[in-house]
Amino acid sequence: MTGKTIYFIHSTSFDFKNEYYKPIQESDLSKHNKLIFPHSTSDKQYSSKDHFKSGDCDLVVAEVSFPSTGGGIEIGWANVFEIPIIMIAREDSPVSDSLKNLSLSFVRYKGRQDLMTKLSEALVKMKPGHPESGKK
């Protein structure tokens, strides 16, 4: 996936700037794509619905280890606007099965390095021509 706009959803009940944003920002993913981290510089609400509606979002990555009403609403909007969603969650986190029904790919991870490895693998599977691309 080169040159994609990727929006990152998450709960605010964990250290998302260090545990979620930072490893992604330091990865090769940031070199080839436009990454949108809605709370990287402000705690104010980001207008994700308008962003999704504009068509300027190619993919959503949702960290769902922690319950989040706002995150759930954003996932719903992404689904309505037919934006592919990759969901990620820590291995030890209980996650609602209903989230898995909205996801192109559901990834469990153990830590920062595992997160990046598995997220990269999920992105590769989305490339056109890959046997699992477009699979919900």
Side-chain angles (χ1 to χ4, degrees):
M1 291 194 49
T2 303
K4 300 292 184 186
T5 300
I6 306 172
Y7 183 87
F8 293 85
I9 294 173
H10 56 84
S11 166
T12 56
S13 64
F14 73 110
D15 184 9
F16 58 87
K17 288 183 180 179
N18 287 310
E19 294 179 33
Y20 186 42
Y21 289 3
K22 190 173 181 178
I24 295 167
Q25 290 168 327
E26 293 174 349
S27 74
D28 286 343
L29 194 60
S30 66
K31 294 177 187 172
H32 307 290
N33 301 283
K34 178 182 175 185
L35 308 182
I36 300 172
F37 299 99
H39 299 289
S40 61
T41 58
S42 172
D43 290 335
K44 292 182 183 178
Q45 184 161 347
Y46 185 88
S47 182
S48 56
K49 181 179 181 182
D50 292 336
H51 186 78
F52 297 159
K53 189 176 183 179
S54 76
D56 187 31
C57 186
D58 301 303
L59 175 68
V60 165
V61 177
E63 207 304 344
V64 296
S65 297
F66 303 92
S68 170
T69 301
I73 291 169
E74 287 183 312
I75 290 167
W77 287 333
N79 185 58
V80 165
F81 292 110
E82 298 182 353
I83 300 168
I85 305 166
I86 294 175
M87 296 204 196
I88 59 175
R90 295 177 183 179
E91 282 192 353
D92 60 349
S93 297
V95 176
S96 169
D97 284 339
S98 62
L99 287 175
K100 295 174 186 174
N101 294 326
L102 298 173
S103 180
L104 182 68
S105 178
F106 195 94
V107 176
R108 291 287 195 164
Y109 68 94
K110 293 179 188 175
R112 291 172 78 167
Q113 184 60 44
D114 194 40
L115 164 64
M116 293 314 306
T117 299
K118 290 181 176 175
L119 181 55
S120 295
E121 290 169 359
L123 291 168
V124 166
K125 290 178 183 177
M126 291 187 64
K127 289 184 178 180
H130 190 279
E132 295 180 46
S133 69
K135 185 178 175 184
K136 275 199 170 188

